[in-house]
Amino acid sequence: RIILGMVALFIEKPESLTGFQQLVPRVFQVYLKQGSKLRAELCTMLFSGGMDADLVSRIREEDLLVTQEFFWSAPGMKLFGGHPDLHDPAKLQAIVEAALAQQPAIVVAFLQQLRARASGPEVDG
């Protein structure tokens, strides 16, 4: 419950609570293992908080993204979490600049996600 409490605080105010990021990746190797009850609760909390359903599904089923510290950074949570600021060009630019300053891999992963979403499922004709 302490871990989920930290996640809840981090989601609410990612720029002011950086402690959860320091627990990654170990927290996912020990407490939030794939398929665990806590991981399922985490995903429910993220989805209820407005995070994109496809991203929550990736968090539930994959370790690759969630075990990256950059994902849990303030810019990472805004970029990957569907934050309302993404719809404001000036605010999006500020988020991307913050992500680039912190760790360029955040932006690369975000662009890969956008590309995958834009290409959608392939349809056989």
Side-chain angles (χ1 to χ4, degrees):
R1 294 287 171 209
I2 292 171
I3 291 169
L4 293 178
M6 285 186 72
V7 172
L9 289 171
F10 182 72
I11 292 168
E12 187 69 29
K13 291 277 193 185
E15 54 281 329
S16 62
L17 182 67
T18 59
F20 184 74
Q21 185 181 7
Q22 305 306 313
L23 299 176
V24 176
R26 182 140 172 82
V27 71
F28 287 95
Q29 296 166 344
V30 177
Y31 301 104
L32 296 170
K33 290 181 183 179
Q34 190 176 0
S36 70
K37 181 180 176 186
L38 276 179
R39 181 83 157 250
E41 288 181 39
L42 168 69
C43 291
T44 298
M45 182 176 20
L46 293 172
F47 183 72
S48 296
M51 189 173 278
D52 177 72
D54 290 335
L55 181 57
V56 173
S57 179
R58 286 182 65 194
I59 292 169
R60 181 183 329 280
E61 299 167 8
E62 301 174 23
D63 282 335
L64 184 62
L65 183 61
V66 297
T67 56
Q68 302 298 317
E69 287 182 26
F70 69 76
F71 175 75
W72 300 101
S73 67
M77 286 303 297
K78 287 182 178 180
L79 289 171
F80 294 106
H83 196 275
D85 287 354
L86 299 180
H87 302 288
D88 179 322
K91 291 179 180 179
L92 174 59
Q93 181 177 345
I95 294 168
V96 170
E97 288 173 358
L100 286 170
Q102 188 177 62
Q103 191 172 8
I106 299 170
V107 177
V108 172
F110 177 65
L111 292 174
Q112 288 172 337
Q113 175 183 297
L114 289 178
R115 186 188 71 208
R117 190 178 297 157
S119 64
E122 294 194 21
V123 179
D124 292 331

